[in-house]
């Protein structure tokens, strides 16, 4: 098989399929990245993935190329793992990488094969790409298409690939279904949902919209709790005992970010508008707005703690990645807060265990530290914005010893307020009195 696109999804899928024993050829147009991968080095941070990558390379059943002709000649199954970012001038998803890949691959196809989309796309994309494949592939070949959305969590991508909670395949032919059933058979007894293209495309965006809504719901409750002098963490805990609600994704804080949830809910709304069903997803506009407001609230709390103005104040920002166990800074709430502090004249000193290189490239105007203690040295307020274990286990006395003043904003509600207050810290957190 081939895996076209070597981002978080593509690298993980290629390496894990090789681990299952398949012959895998990964493809990307970035020559530097391909060389790096062939040398056994990850261009991303993902727990456990580099070892699997190197095992596949050493076994000889995994390698990477920049040649679409080589990929077409190699593969019986071609997985499309391209990014679909938000367009620059609107909310819709940009599917140009998928189109370019199909246009580059199809003319070189020399035998019957199956192309499998894994990217998150607007509903209707699969039908359009199927028509493009039929138009561009040589007439003597039969090129089938299937849609097999991914459900990977960054930081747990290997686990989610090798032990998924479900597999969804959108197919039009029995042969495509048979091929994918056989391909995923080594994963064991995994619930498999077989459906049409449109439903398969909708599953991923519908799931992300639900998760985003749940996160923004508890953050909306945090806004009410602040107004009513209530405790949103106790509220969330009480709600979680209801089996209909559950505990997961009910963590109040500064909201969600990353390369999926924010852009996916916006693209979902944009596509619904195109289909004449925009009213059905109108609630997602408020979900997005609540999420953005939580970033502003973190800045407000920091400003309040330092006396009403961040100008010329040093602020320790603990976190740059949008979530722990990742170096992904796409739409990172932590960096959005740090940038806002910088714009108000504050000096934001940022530390993250994995994402500093990416942060420096995207936000060169910020200052960066080599440790949490260095970031906090001389700071007037500390903000915990990404819930890395290294931050949740910080010693309040040790951190306080290097601070100018012991002020902290627990942006993820993961610290023990009593322990920090006992160490003479002024403690604030979203949704707490």
């Amino acid at each position: 098989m081939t895996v076209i696109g070597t981002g978080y999804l593509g690298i993980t899928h290629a390496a894990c399929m090789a681990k299952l024993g398949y012959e895998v050829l990964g493809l990307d147009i970035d020559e530097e990245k391909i060389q790096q991968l062939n040398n056994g080095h990850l261009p991303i941070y993902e727990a456990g993935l580099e070892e699997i990558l190197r095992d596949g390379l050493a076994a000889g059943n995994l390698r990477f190329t920049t040649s679409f002709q080589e990929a077409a000649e190699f593969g019986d199954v071609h997985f499309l793992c391209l990014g679909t970012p938000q367009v620059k001038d609107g909310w819709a998803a940009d599917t140009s990488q998928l189109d370019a890949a199909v246009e580059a691959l199809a003319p070189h196809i020399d035998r019957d094969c199956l192309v499998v989309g894994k990217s998150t796309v607007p509903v209707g994309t699969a039908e359009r790409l199927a028509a493009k494949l039929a138009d561009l592939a040589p007439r003597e070949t039969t090129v089938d298409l299937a849609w097999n959305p991914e459900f990977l969590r960054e930081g747990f991508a290997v686990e989610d690939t090798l032990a998924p909670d479900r597999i969804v395949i959108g197919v039009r032919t029995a042969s495509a279904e048979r091929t994918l059933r056989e391909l995923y058979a080594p994963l064991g007894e995994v619930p498999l949902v077989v459906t049409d293209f449109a439903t398969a495309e909708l599953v991923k965006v519908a799931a992300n919209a639900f998760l985003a809504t749940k996160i923004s719901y508890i953050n909306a409750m945090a806004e009410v709790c602040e107004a009513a002098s209530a405790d949103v963490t106790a509220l969330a805990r009480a709600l979680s005992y209801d089996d209909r609600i559950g505990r997961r994704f009910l963590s109040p804080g500064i909201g969600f970010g990353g390369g999926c949830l924010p852009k996916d809910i916006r693209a979902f709304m944009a596509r619904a508008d195109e289909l004449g069903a925009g009213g059905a997803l109108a609630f997602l506009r408020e979900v997005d707005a609540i999420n953005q407001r939580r970033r502003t609230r973190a800045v407000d709390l920091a400003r309040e703690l330092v006396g009403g103005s961040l100008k010329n104040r040093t602020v320790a920002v603990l976190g740059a990645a949008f979530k722990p166990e990742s170096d992904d800074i796409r739409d990172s709430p932590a960096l959005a807060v740090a940038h806002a502090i910088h714009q108000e004249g504050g000096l934001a000193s940022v530390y993250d265990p994995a994402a500093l290189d990416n942060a420096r490239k995207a936000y060169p105007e910020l200052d960066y530290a080599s440790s949490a203690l260095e970031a906090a040295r001389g700071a007037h307020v500390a903000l915990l914005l990404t819930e890395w274990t290294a931050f949740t286990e910080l010693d309040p006395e040790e951190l306080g010893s290097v601070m100018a003043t012991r002020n902290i904003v627990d942006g993820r509600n993961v610290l023990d307020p009593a322990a920090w207050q006992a160490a003479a810290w002024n403690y604030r957190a979203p949704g707490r009195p």
Side-chain angles (χ1 to χ4, degrees):
M1 68 183 67
T2 72
V3 176
I4 300 173
T6 58
Y8 283 89
L9 168 61
I11 297 172
T12 304
H13 193 65
C16 288
M17 291 300 101
K19 181 178 176 63
L20 293 178
Y22 295 110
E23 298 290 325
V24 182
L25 178 65
L27 183 149
D28 203 288
I29 60 174
D30 186 332
E31 294 184 3
E32 183 179 348
K33 182 188 288 187
I34 290 302
Q35 182 178 359
Q36 189 175 356
L37 288 167
N38 278 324
N39 288 333
H41 300 297
L42 281 181
I44 59 173
Y45 178 90
E46 184 62 42
L49 184 56
E50 190 160 86
E51 180 181 355
I52 296 175
L53 169 71
R54 291 179 177 178
D55 286 347
L57 293 169
N61 64 333
L62 174 63
R63 59 189 177 86
F64 298 87
T65 184
T66 58
S67 170
F68 277 94
Q69 181 174 348
E70 182 182 2
E73 294 171 353
F74 180 90
D76 301 302
V77 179
H78 304 281
F79 283 96
L80 302 176
C81 298
L82 289 307
T84 54
Q86 186 175 328
V87 296
K88 294 181 179 179
D89 57 350
W91 281 11
D94 179 357
T95 60
S96 60
Q97 293 182 45
L98 283 165
D99 283 282
V102 167
E103 291 163 7
L105 176 71
H108 297 294
I109 291 173
D110 61 359
R111 62 188 184 278
D112 295 351
C113 63
L114 175 63
V115 176
V116 185
K118 291 194 72 66
S119 304
T120 304
V121 295
V123 61
T125 301
E127 286 285 356
R128 182 173 59 76
L129 292 180
K132 180 169 286 194
L133 280 167
D135 183 53
L136 296 177
R139 296 299 176 192
E140 62 274 13
T141 62
T142 298
V143 183
D144 206 350
L145 181 75
W147 215 261
N148 171 217
E150 57 88 9
F151 302 102
L152 305 188
R153 299 166 297 162
E154 289 186 30
F156 302 91
V158 171
E159 174 186 339
D160 290 344
T161 301
L162 297 176
D165 54 16
R166 82 281 208 193
I167 296 170
V168 176
I169 55 174
V171 295
R172 294 189 302 188
T173 66
S175 61
E177 178 183 342
R178 183 169 57 253
T179 296
L180 287 171
R181 283 186 180 275
E182 292 173 356
L183 189 148
Y184 287 123
L187 298 179
E189 295 295 324
V190 179
L192 190 145
V193 180
V194 182
T195 185
D196 52 74
F197 284 174
T199 306
E201 290 167 314
L202 283 171
V203 168
K204 178 60 186 293
V205 291
N208 279 353
F210 184 90
L211 298 177
T213 300
K214 193 171 183 182
I215 295 168
S216 281
Y217 166 79
I218 198 60
N219 281 327
M221 294 304 101
E223 293 185 14
V224 176
C225 283
E226 289 185 7
S229 297
D231 187 339
V232 72
T233 61
L235 174 66
R237 186 168 66 253
L239 292 173
S240 71
Y241 289 109
D242 188 327
D243 290 340
R244 298 167 300 176
I245 297 174
R247 183 69 185 90
R248 298 189 65 191
F249 286 84
L250 207 63
S251 299
I254 61 168
F256 57 81
C260 292
L261 261 61
K263 64 98 176 174
D264 285 353
I265 64 170
R266 294 165 191 158
F268 199 10
M269 286 186 280
R271 183 59 177 144
D273 283 342
E274 293 171 353
L275 294 170
L281 299 184
F283 71 95
L284 288 180
R285 296 182 185 276
E286 184 58 25
V287 167
D288 197 17
I290 291 167
N291 192 55
Q292 296 300 314
R293 288 202 299 271
R294 300 323 289 163
R295 304 176 184 195
T296 302
R297 184 56 181 151
V299 178
D300 292 343
L301 291 172
R303 191 188 306 109
E304 291 170 12
L305 282 172
V306 297
S309 174
L310 289 164
K311 188 174 179 60
N312 297 323
R313 297 289 188 170
T314 300
V315 180
V317 176
L318 304 182
F322 85 94
K323 63 178 290 186
E325 305 305 325
S326 173
D327 66 347
D328 193 346
I329 63 163
R330 289 176 292 177
D331 204 356
S332 164
L335 287 174
V337 170
H339 180 68
I341 289 168
H342 172 79
Q343 288 189 311
E344 291 194 21
L347 176 64
S349 181
V350 181
Y351 172 68
D352 187 281
L356 285 186
D357 288 344
N358 290 338
R360 283 191 183 98
K361 294 173 185 175
Y363 293 87
E365 71 277 10
L366 302 177
D367 283 359
Y368 295 92
S370 60
S371 69
L373 286 178
E374 183 185 331
R377 195 172 304 281
H380 300 93
V381 60
L383 280 69
L384 193 162
L385 302 180
T386 308
E387 61 271 39
W388 286 93
T389 301
F391 298 156
T392 63
E393 295 181 350
L394 282 168
D395 184 323
E397 284 293 349
E398 183 180 20
L399 192 70
S401 69
V402 300
M403 295 277 294
T405 51
R406 295 192 178 194
N407 295 317
I408 190 164
V409 175
D410 180 6
R412 296 296 182 178
N413 273 300
V414 289
L415 301 177
D416 178 0
W420 288 77
Q421 289 165 348
W425 284 80
N426 297 313
Y427 174 94
R428 297 295 303 275
R432 284 182 164 177

